[in-house]
Structures are given as C-alpha cells and as structure tokens.
Amino acid sequence: GAVVSQHPSWVICKSGTSVKIECRSLDFQATTMFWYRQFPKQSLMLMATSNEGSKATYEQGVEKDKFLINHASLTLSTLTVTSAHPEDSSFYICSAQQTGAGNTIYFGEGSWLTVV
Amino acid sequence: DAKTTQPPSMDCAEGRAANLPCNHSTISGNEYVYWYRQIHSQGPQYIIHGLKNNETNEMASLIITEDRKSSTLILPHATLRDTAVYYCIVRVNRAGGATNKLIFGTGTLLAVQP
C-alpha cells in the first residue's frame, strides 16, 4: 500500500507551548488528509478534514484555534497544537487519501504527544 | 456515530482461519465496506474494501452478504502478528471532500492464541 509518514513519532513539550506534527504522503499526492486523536484504550476520533489549498473542516467540539491545520501542498499537512495543556496529551494520527486507485485512505504511524 | 457493529473481542488459534463479522444494516447504496486493523500503538493499516462482490487480496478475504447488511473479514491462516483491533467501516468512495471520512467504531480485538 501507499506510504504515509508522520514526524515526530513522539514529542514532549511544556504547558503553554505549541507543537507541530507533520504528515507526509511519500509516494502519492493527497488532496485530502485527515487528523485523528486517540486516547488510551479508546477508538480513533476524527478531529478535522484537511483539503489542499483550502481551510480545514473541523468536527463538532474540536477547537479550530487550538488545533491549527495547514495543508499547503499535495504531500504535506501539518497539525499545530497551540498553547498545549496536559489534557492535550494523546496519540495523534494522520491519514491521506490516495486519489484514484480506489480512493483508499492510508494512515501514518502516529505521533505521541506528552504535555508536561 | 459509527454505522457498523462488531463484537468487542474474539479469540483464534494460530494457523486457523479468523472470521470477523460486521453488521452494517443501514449501509447506503454508494457506501463501500472498508476494513482496517490497528496493532497496539501504531496507526491503522488498510486491509481490504468492497462494494457488493466478494474481494480477496494477499492479506484477507471480504465476504459481503447479498443484501449488503453484513460482511465477514477472513484471515485464512492467522498468526500471532495478526493480533490487533479490527475495524469495519462504511464509507462513500469518491475523491475529495469531508464526506469521504472514515468514522471508527470500537472494533473487534482479535487475540490469536499460540
């Protein structure tokens, strides 16, 4: 299958700081990417849909000013957690849709964020 | 909310076939059935998808009932590395747009026993 890569794999940051997570589609172009978060022993929760060159669409209850999403190219989307708090600590996972070839969505490896 | 229901857990003996059921009684005519799995602390892995015909690839087989209200994922010879949470998801298959999104339910934890 197609490859989606996230960076960093894990990050520790201090409360009040911002942290950026990158999501790249390595061998295909993705006009649409998705961001999820997952708490321990829970399922994935969709946060937002990111479309290249336009504003992201956020799910109900997700603060767009806190979770900034930028999808400036067909292979890169970024999620910035602003003014992070300990409750933002979670596993963040991105996915990218391979246009054509079945429009299948492939996932990155995930990024662990710990806010201290 | 997820539009599928799956048993929370299943066991399977190593080397035997694992049959994972999924109910999607409200599936629409233009929605496909997708299967992903998530091994602990990793991103979900795509397995297979289908619309109405049975599908097979190198990982698994997907059997969809004629009325499309349920399906079964079959891992023909389960190994210990197949232990994971398996998610069945229905989704419109088209390029672009928020309606394309994958909404995850709670999935089935498949434990392959030695």
Side-chain angles (χ1 to χ4, degrees):
Chain A
V3 180
V4 177
S5 179
Q6 280 183 242
H7 178 80
S9 298
W10 59 269
V11 58
I12 301 172
C13 72
K14 293 183 177 180
S15 288
T17 62
S18 297
V19 61
K20 180 187 289 187
I21 301 170
E22 293 185 346
C23 178
R24 295 180 186 273
S25 54
L26 297 186
D27 52 0
F28 66 98
Q29 293 185 329
T31 55
T32 305
M33 291 184 172
F34 305 87
W35 286 95
Y36 294 80
R37 67 189 296 183
Q38 185 176 32
F39 294 108
K41 299 189 177 182
Q42 294 186 22
S43 189
L44 286 78
M45 184 194 79
L46 179 66
M47 300 174 67
T49 301
S50 165
N51 292 298
E52 187 266 336
S54 63
K55 291 183 179 180
T57 303
Y58 289 82
E59 295 298 304
Q60 190 172 10
V62 179
E63 299 176 58
K64 62 180 181 180
D65 294 330
K66 180 168 183 62
F67 299 100
L68 301 179
I69 292 172
N70 183 277
H71 191 161
S73 80
L74 288 173
T75 59
L76 173 64
S77 176
T78 60
L79 168 69
T80 302
V81 182
T82 63
S83 186
H85 291 281
E87 56 264 32
D88 297 325
S89 299
S90 186
F91 189 47
Y92 290 88
I93 311 167
C94 77
S95 62
Q97 179 175 298
Q98 185 178 34
T99 304
N103 295 316
T104 301
I105 293 174
Y106 296 95
F107 285 80
E109 317 95 318
S111 300
W112 286 100
L113 169 63
T114 301
V115 184
V116 298
Chain B
D1 290 340
K3 297 176 63 176
T4 64
T5 55
Q6 300 176 251
S9 63
M10 291 181 64
D11 287 347
C12 176
E14 188 177 18
R16 303 297 294 269
N19 298 284
L20 293 94
C22 178
N23 287 322
H24 31 80
S25 58
T26 60
I27 191 170
S28 301
N30 62 347
E31 288 181 316
Y32 286 65
V33 179
Y34 283 78
W35 283 83
Y36 287 80
R37 71 180 183 185
Q38 185 178 28
I39 296 170
H40 183 61
S41 297
Q42 297 182 23
Q45 178 188 21
Y46 166 77
I47 301 174
I48 199 167
H49 75 278
L51 181 63
K52 57 176 112 176
N53 297 322
N54 298 336
E55 302 287 345
T56 296
N57 62 20
E58 65 278 3
M59 289 183 68
S61 294
L62 173 60
I63 309 298
I64 302 174
T65 58
E66 193 169 344
D67 63 7
R68 302 210 321 125
K69 292 186 177 182
S70 66
S71 60
T72 301
L73 178 75
I74 301 173
L75 307 179
H77 304 287
T79 70
L80 298 178
R81 288 182 293 180
D82 291 322
T83 293
V85 178
Y86 287 76
Y87 295 98
C88 166
I89 304 168
V90 296
R91 166 188 174 242
V92 174
N93 180 349
R94 63 180 180 87
T99 56
N100 245 358
K101 54 194 177 185
L102 290 168
I103 302 299
F104 284 78
T106 52
T108 297
L109 173 58
L110 175 67
V112 180
Q113 309 290 344

